[in-house]
Amino acid sequence: MGKIKKIRTLSQSISLVLINIGFLGIFVKHLTFPVFNCYACPWASIGCPIGLLQNFVMNGQVPTYVMGAMGSVFVVVGSAFCGWICPFGFFQDAIDFVKGIIKKNNKKTVRKRKINYKSIDLSLITRLIVLLTTLVLAFTFVDTIFCKLCPVGTIQAAFPYQITYGFSYNIWLAARIGILVLLLVMFFVISRFWCRYLCPIGALAGPSNKISLLKMYHNGNNCDGCNICKDVCPLDIDVMKDQNSSRCTRCADCIDKCPKGHLAFGLDIFGLVAVSPFKKKKPKVPEKKAVVTSSKGIPEVEKRLETEVSEQRRQDVSEEFKYEDKEKLVERPTYMGFKKGERVYVPYEEIKKIGIRPPKTSLSVLLKQYSEGRLGEDYNATEAFVDETVGEKLRDTPKTFPREEVDKKYFEKFRIPKRTELHSEHLKYLKNLDVYLDVKAIANSIDDIPAVLLAIVDGSDRIKFQYMNTREQSANWYYKDKLPSVYINEKYYNSLFSEDEIIYKIKLEKYMIENTSLVLDYKKCIGCNAQNCKKVCDIFNKIPPMEDGYSVYPLKEFDCTLCGKCLVECERGGISFIFGEKHIEDSNFSIETIKKNRELISSIDPKTFMLFLEKNKKHSNRALNYAIALSYLSHGKLSYQLIDISINEELALKRNISAVPCFWISNKIQVSGMISESSILAFVRKISKWKE
């Protein structure tokens, strides 16, 4: 509870006692104030303005006294009596306090109900209807009908009377209790429901906020747009747009909770003289500040800032994995136990010497070890020799090139199930892999997963592998029209299941993670109640509270796979990614329109596009975030390859790239230059209609 809230609670408590000080014999019922308090209560010391209005109307008199008394208060302080003095407002605040305790004890976070108001204030109309109906009924029936149904009168007069003189049932009492119970339920559903929709005093007090001397001011020039003022307002007022709304009760909760002190009360003498607590300043155009990436604040991580790009990174990523001496390597034939596309290269001299090379050893050595009883445990397959004699078959088979039907049958039984050999260079690369990768495989059976994929997974302890059966509920999010369906870092892998292709994909992912950083915007993150980032990814639980401004974290430092879930699920737009070492503020970046078209994006067929970017450029960073969002919203089916234009100029010239950044699938299907959300959606629509 803030300081202003404590003072206001004290003011409400004191006013509750003073307004009902009749127990000391002090009565001044000829006076009235714009508060909701029953004058029929034995302890009530002042008159109720609504009751007095009804009496004037019943007697055919103009209520000049009541209107003059309330009008003098409204002109000075507006509706401040509603928030600081009114006993019934205090009662509703107490219910809100109980609601807050219930929400804290409840494990499930209940989000605040959002109410969208149009240009016309509907709540003011409903309050005016209640006021006019009250006066019409009093004039028609010559009776205070409103007082017979008033919820305050039920609490302060009806209940004490029934307790003192005994219970006596009548239709008015039943109606009183029914209305009070209904209002209590609505108080727990909608904060300050009576003040918002039904209070007849509020119908007069609300419009006075526009002309009263007391005004609320908002320092818009320095506002960070955290929306805390809107979140804490019990009446859901957009304080930044309308500080003196007709719904406002001047409770000052927004002033109390504003972390930067951008809200305050001031004086406005009928528009002639304004006494604002904020000095008028000329709006400053924010300078473009470059933020250098760092790992500050991440636990157990050392600073690893690179001042220059190493020569190794300047190599063409698409070429670095290829063999310079490829002519000296020979591809193993398909019938040697490998499926089509599972290319495994071995030295030509070795193939020439032994003819074949099953895992760990040759088939002839295996046969010899089996006949001598020295067969290793990994190749313990006695059932392979039950039906027929292998030796007789081998005599009819050339030693350097065995027949397919013989070699395939016995090779499969000697090899380790679902595993294969990797090229030595590939194996060395996987052992030294220093980034985190996430690999998922969706299939009807684990036997359907390619052997070479499992071998690559085993080749590095930095690769996390997860098998998902198609019948599992979690597998419904993934693409299952073509099985097995493999995802690498939540991007659908639609290339051949060959050793070279998968290693190439891994190297592209590694390059992208090494050159990309996460950016958190403090002014958008502050005051966020949802905290979806922490719900969707544990990484954000490791990052400590930020300081003012931006915080930039290299992905490699905390094992981020760049799946894009946090970017899309963030409601405030406080998360983004950059390509390079520096971040330049981009006030126009948004993915709200892209998120609204998630159905179109999720229905697209699997595609892979090239993303040509420049490091440390604002428009390239925006394009990168669009690509990440598209990948996640398409359930990984729209995957991308990141190409640095500075080290792949020939590749860009070959594909006729006219401007950077550029989304490229073909010369006909591309979008480049000043990329916006609309151009991205047009790009997606082209892809959805384009057939290979």
Side-chain angles (χ1 to χ4, degrees):
M1 184 181 294
K3 293 181 180 180
I4 299 179
K5 185 69 174 290
K6 292 179 181 178
I7 297 173
R8 186 166 69 90
T9 303
L10 179 61
S11 172
Q12 290 173 315
S13 303
I14 294 174
S15 63
L16 178 63
V17 175
L18 294 178
I19 292 173
N20 296 279
I21 204 171
F23 65 91
L24 296 178
I26 301 174
F27 296 99
V28 284
K29 292 198 176 182
H30 59 283
L31 297 178
T32 185
F33 294 101
V35 293
F36 211 54
N37 191 74
C38 183
Y39 71 96
C41 175
W43 290 353
S45 60
I46 64 172
C48 173
I50 301 300
L52 289 174
L53 279 174
Q54 292 177 97
N55 280 284
F56 275 102
V57 171
M58 287 163 52
N59 296 325
Q61 299 176 355
V62 179
T64 54
Y65 165 69
V66 181
M67 297 301 293
M70 290 195 297
S72 61
V73 174
F74 293 154
V75 168
V76 177
V77 296
S79 59
F81 266 68
C82 300
W84 291 73
I85 305 297
C86 181
F88 201 50
F90 186 32
F91 176 70
Q92 295 175 77
D93 287 341
I95 292 179
D96 287 342
F97 179 75
V98 175
K99 286 167 55 179
I101 295 176
I102 295 173
K103 289 181 180 180
K104 286 182 180 180
N105 295 332
N106 190 3
K107 293 182 180 179
K108 294 183 179 179
T109 56
V110 181
R111 299 217 37 208
K112 187 175 180 180
R113 184 175 181 267
K114 293 183 179 179
I115 299 178
N116 296 323
Y117 290 93
K118 297 182 179 180
S119 57
I120 301 176
D121 193 346
L122 297 179
S123 66
L124 179 59
I125 295 176
T126 58
R127 286 178 286 170
L128 285 172
I129 291 174
V130 173
L131 176 62
L132 294 176
T133 303
T134 299
L135 299 179
V136 169
L137 291 176
F139 179 78
T140 303
F141 296 99
V142 194
D143 194 3
T144 54
I145 302 298
F146 181 85
C147 294
K148 296 181 182 298
L149 301 174
C150 176
V152 178
T154 305
I155 298 173
Q156 292 185 308
F159 286 166
Y161 182 87
Q162 295 289 334
I163 295 173
T164 304
Y165 298 103
F167 179 78
S168 60
Y169 174 79
N170 57 70
I171 190 64
W172 291 108
L173 179 63
R176 280 175 178 272
I177 297 175
I179 292 174
L180 180 61
V181 172
L182 179 61
L183 285 176
L184 287 174
V185 174
M186 295 307 299
F187 290 160
F188 277 94
V189 177
I190 301 176
S191 178
R192 282 218 173 204
F193 177 76
W194 177 266
C195 301
R196 193 192 297 253
Y197 295 113
L198 302 177
C199 182
I201 299 178
L204 301 173
S208 67
N209 290 331
K210 304 291 185 181
I211 60 173
S212 64
L213 300 181
L214 182 68
K215 287 283 184 17
M216 182 184 293
Y217 289 90
H218 178 249
N219 190 11
N221 292 338
N222 297 325
C223 182
D224 292 336
C226 63
N227 286 327
I228 292 180
C229 53
K230 185 178 180 181
D231 293 340
V232 300
C233 180
L235 295 166
D236 299 314
I237 299 172
D238 192 345
V239 182
M240 290 188 294
K241 295 181 180 179
D242 190 4
Q243 294 87 44
N244 298 285
S245 171
S246 60
R247 299 195 308 275
C248 181
T249 60
R250 295 286 196 260
C251 67
D253 281 355
C254 54
I255 298 176
D256 201 16
K257 294 294 184 180
C258 182
K260 300 291 184 179
H262 293 150
L263 289 168
F265 284 124
L267 295 177
D268 184 1
I269 304 175
F270 305 112
L272 301 176
V273 180
V275 182
S276 172
F278 306 110
K279 295 181 180 179
K280 292 185 178 180
K281 297 180 180 179
K282 294 181 180 180
K284 295 181 179 180
V285 179
E287 298 179 357
K288 296 181 179 180
K289 296 182 178 180
V291 183
V292 181
T293 56
S294 67
S295 58
K296 180 180 179 181
I298 303 179
E300 301 177 1
V301 177
E302 297 180 356
K303 284 188 176 181
R304 292 186 291 182
L305 298 178
E306 297 179 357
T307 57
E308 297 180 355
V309 181
S310 62
E311 292 298 327
Q312 182 179 359
R313 287 190 178 180
R314 290 197 173 275
Q315 295 178 2
D316 190 345
V317 179
S318 62
E319 299 291 335
E320 66 174 349
F321 76 98
K322 294 183 179 180
Y323 305 111
E324 296 179 357
D325 55 347
K326 190 170 181 179
E327 65 278 359
K328 298 181 180 179
L329 301 175
V330 178
E331 182 180 356
R332 287 184 177 177
T334 303
Y335 59 78
M336 289 187 62
F338 295 90
K339 297 179 182 179
K340 187 176 182 180
E342 290 185 10
R343 301 180 310 214
V344 179
Y345 293 96
V346 294
Y348 176 77
E349 294 298 328
E350 188 174 352
I351 287 286
K352 187 176 181 181
K353 289 179 180 178
I354 62 174
I356 59 173
R357 188 182 177 230
K360 294 187 178 181
T361 185
S362 64
L363 182 60
S364 58
V365 175
L366 289 175
L367 291 173
K368 184 177 180 181
Q369 290 179 353
Y370 177 77
S371 62
E372 297 175 357
R374 298 186 296 104
L375 190 63
E377 293 181 358
D378 292 339
Y379 301 97
N380 190 10
T382 55
E383 65 275 9
F385 306 99
V386 174
D387 299 331
E388 52 189 333
T389 305
V390 181
E392 295 178 359
K393 292 288 184 180
L394 289 177
R395 292 191 192 98
D396 301 330
T397 304
K399 293 182 180 181
T400 57
F401 202 77
R403 290 182 181 177
E404 179 179 353
E405 61 271 11
V406 176
D407 183 69
K408 183 177 179 181
K409 181 176 180 180
Y410 293 103
F411 176 82
E412 288 289 343
K413 292 191 176 184
F414 279 117
R415 68 184 293 194
I416 303 174
K418 303 303 293 179
R419 296 295 188 271
T420 183
E421 279 187 305
L422 300 177
H423 188 272
S424 58
E425 293 296 326
H426 288 165
L427 188 59
K428 182 180 178 181
Y429 175 79
L430 292 172
K431 291 294 183 182
N432 298 325
L433 188 64
D434 57 350
V435 297
Y436 179 80
L437 296 176
D438 179 60
V439 178
K440 291 183 176 66
I442 300 91
N444 292 320
S445 172
I446 197 171
D447 295 333
D448 296 337
I449 301 175
V452 67
L453 177 63
L454 296 178
I456 289 174
V457 169
D458 286 345
S460 174
D461 57 358
R462 298 289 291 165
I463 301 179
K464 177 186 176 182
F465 177 75
Q466 180 183 2
Y467 161 70
M468 301 171 65
N469 193 281
T470 52
R471 293 186 295 272
E472 296 180 15
Q473 185 176 1
S474 57
N476 295 333
W477 190 86
Y478 297 93
Y479 179 67
K480 296 188 293 184
D481 292 349
K482 183 179 180 181
L483 296 175
S485 179
V486 174
Y487 280 75
I488 299 178
N489 284 354
E490 296 298 335
K491 303 177 189 67
Y492 177 65
Y493 177 77
N494 55 359
S495 300
L496 294 175
F497 290 115
S498 65
E499 185 176 344
D500 287 346
E501 294 288 346
I502 298 176
I503 293 293
Y504 173 57
K505 176 67 174 178
I506 290 175
K507 293 197 175 188
L508 287 177
E509 291 293 323
K510 178 178 181 295
Y511 177 80
M512 184 161 51
I513 292 173
E514 287 179 338
N515 292 272
T516 307
S517 298
L518 169 70
V519 178
L520 297 181
D521 189 350
Y522 175 82
K523 65 182 180 182
K524 294 182 180 179
C525 291
I526 187 173
C528 178
N529 295 323
Q531 294 188 344
N532 290 338
C533 56
K534 294 184 178 180
K535 296 176 183 178
V536 301
C537 185
D538 292 335
I539 287 174
F540 293 91
N541 294 317
K542 303 176 184 178
I543 299 177
M546 298 172 292
E547 299 177 356
D548 194 3
Y550 292 92
S551 291
V552 184
Y553 301 100
L555 300 188
K556 187 178 178 181
E557 303 293 351
F558 50 95
D559 294 339
C560 176
T561 59
L562 203 60
C563 65
K565 194 171 185 179
C566 60
L567 174 67
V568 176
E569 298 300 330
C570 177
E571 295 182 352
R572 292 174 175 263
I575 297 176
S576 60
F577 296 90
I578 60 173
F579 178 56
E581 294 82 19
K582 297 180 181 179
H583 168 65
I584 300 177
E585 184 177 354
D586 185 1
S587 58
N588 296 323
F589 169 69
S590 173
I591 57 171
E592 293 303 318
T593 305
I594 294 177
K595 292 196 298 189
K596 291 179 182 178
N597 290 270
R598 62 173 65 218
E599 292 186 6
L600 169 66
I601 299 172
S602 62
S603 62
I604 200 170
D605 292 331
K607 295 286 188 300
T608 300
F609 63 89
M610 290 186 176
L611 179 60
F612 290 87
L613 301 178
E614 289 182 281
K615 283 188 177 180
N616 306 321
K617 299 294 183 180
K618 179 174 66 175
H619 298 296
S620 291
N621 292 338
R622 189 187 303 177
L624 173 62
N625 285 276
Y626 288 155
I628 296 171
L630 288 178
S631 178
Y632 175 74
L633 292 173
S634 66
H635 298 192
K637 293 182 290 184
L638 196 58
S639 60
Y640 56 94
Q641 295 180 0
L642 193 151
I643 308 296
D644 188 352
I645 193 70
S646 62
I647 59 178
N648 291 276
E649 295 180 1
E650 295 183 1
L651 194 62
L653 292 174
K654 183 179 179 181
R655 286 164 174 75
N656 298 322
I657 305 300
S658 58
V660 178
C662 178
F663 288 71
W664 190 93
I665 285 183
S666 69
N667 290 331
K668 295 182 179 180
I669 309 295
Q670 62 175 295
V671 56
S672 59
M674 300 288 289
I675 298 176
S676 62
E677 288 185 282
S678 58
S679 60
I680 286 296
L681 292 175
F683 175 71
V684 172
R685 292 188 181 96
K686 287 182 181 180
I687 296 176
S688 61
K689 298 178 181 179
W690 180 55
K691 296 182 180 180
E692 295 182 357

